[in-house]
Amino acid sequence: MNAEDVVAAPTHPAPTDQGGEDDPWTVGGVELRSRVLIGTSRYPSLQSLLDSVKASGAEVATVSVRRADLGGEKQSLLRALRDDAERAGRALHVLPNTAGCYTAREAVLTAQLAREALETDWVKLEVIGDDETLYPDAVQTLKAAADLVADGFEVFAYCGDDPVTARRLADLGCAAVMPLAAPIGSGMGLVNPYVLRIIRETLPDVPLVVDAGLGTASDAARAMELGYDGVLLNTAVSGAEHPALMAAAVGHAVAAGRLARRAGRIPRRLYAQASTPGAGRIDVPAVDE
């Protein structure tokens, strides 16, 4: 299947009520209509990336930033993303991330370099604590978050599925808290929806984004049904057999999941409950054999 065969998700996800009104959300001081945040790593080609960003309807694209990435190929990538969005009349905000950092000091320095190079106060804070699982280091993440917030950054903080760490990041003033669904790149989906639900209920007014470990569109829909404000995906799209097609599926799934959350699902019941009322039933006498 070619990119042109993809039926793309709308640039602005489906309306959230029958009146057709938009359902924007605000994060980092910016109002967004799309609830998909998309990564830009490991795509089979630049065109595949551009097609996927467009198909997802994303208005935020994350870009890893290291000292060696601030010119050359990275600048070409950013230019291509921005030019493509401009040609299509779409908004696109770049969210630099501190992927590959293992200490708070390293993450803060990386964020400061990104701010100078990309002229943005946004940063996705990622401080890894373990090479095997790529789980975030909660202690170093909290330290870096405090320093970056004090330095005027809008911090999108990646963390484990831990309600305590999530609450502390929110208390520090992070623009968004981004708990993982599963280890980075695993595609395992929401392995602990119970805890993700607790985080949502604990932080009802904080922008929350499920980040890492999603594998397919249904995972994204489920995250939205839990009440999350958005999802961030990279490998689920870039590693798909047809990335742009998966990106389109995710865009539609996120819109559907958001609609379902706002609609309010029926409660789960242990036993059946007839949908047809019993009143007016025909009473047929029993016939003896």
Side-chain angles (χ1 to χ4, degrees), residues 25-187:
W25 62 302
T26 300
V27 62
V30 174
E31 184 177 275
L32 302 172
R33 283 174 286 185
S34 173
R35 294 172 181 271
V36 179
L37 294 78
I38 194 164
T40 57
S41 299
R42 299 180 180 274
Y43 284 82
S45 68
L46 176 58
Q47 190 59 52
S48 174
L49 166 60
L50 297 178
D51 291 341
S52 297
V53 173
K54 182 178 180 180
S56 72
E59 292 176 308
V60 176
T62 66
V63 179
S64 64
V65 176
R66 301 182 188 180
R67 186 185 299 270
D69 289 336
L70 297 179
E73 183 177 342
K74 188 65 68 177
Q75 283 296 341
S76 297
L77 169 64
L78 292 171
R79 191 177 304 112
L81 285 167
R82 287 167 170 160
D83 288 348
D84 192 64
E86 185 177 349
R87 282 193 297 271
R90 296 182 290 112
L92 185 68
H93 303 275
V94 174
L95 176 61
N97 73 58
T98 63
C101 292
Y102 287 81
T103 67
R105 184 172 181 275
E106 186 180 3
V108 169
L109 175 59
T110 301
Q112 291 169 340
L113 290 170
R115 178 163 63 183
E116 291 299 318
L118 305 180
E119 299 180 344
T120 178
D121 289 329
W122 279 19
V123 64
K124 179 192 169 187
L125 174 61
E126 185 176 317
V127 187
I128 298 302
D130 175 69
D131 280 328
E132 190 70 24
T133 64
L134 298 181
Y135 258 64
D137 185 316
V139 173
Q140 294 296 309
T141 297
L142 288 165
K143 185 177 187 308
D147 291 345
L148 289 169
V149 169
D151 196 20
F153 281 90
E154 297 285 355
V155 179
F156 294 62
Y158 168 65
C159 65
D161 52 351
D162 171 16
V164 176
T165 301
R167 185 176 66 248
R168 289 181 178 170
L169 287 167
D171 290 344
L172 286 172
C174 290
V177 177
M178 307 173 73
L180 57 78
I184 292 171
S186 68

Side-chain angles (χ1 to χ4, degrees), residues 211-231:
D211 178 14
L214 301 182
T216 190
S218 57
D219 297 332
R222 193 177 183 195
M224 299 304 295
E225 288 173 359
L226 287 175
Y228 278 71
D229 296 289
V231 298

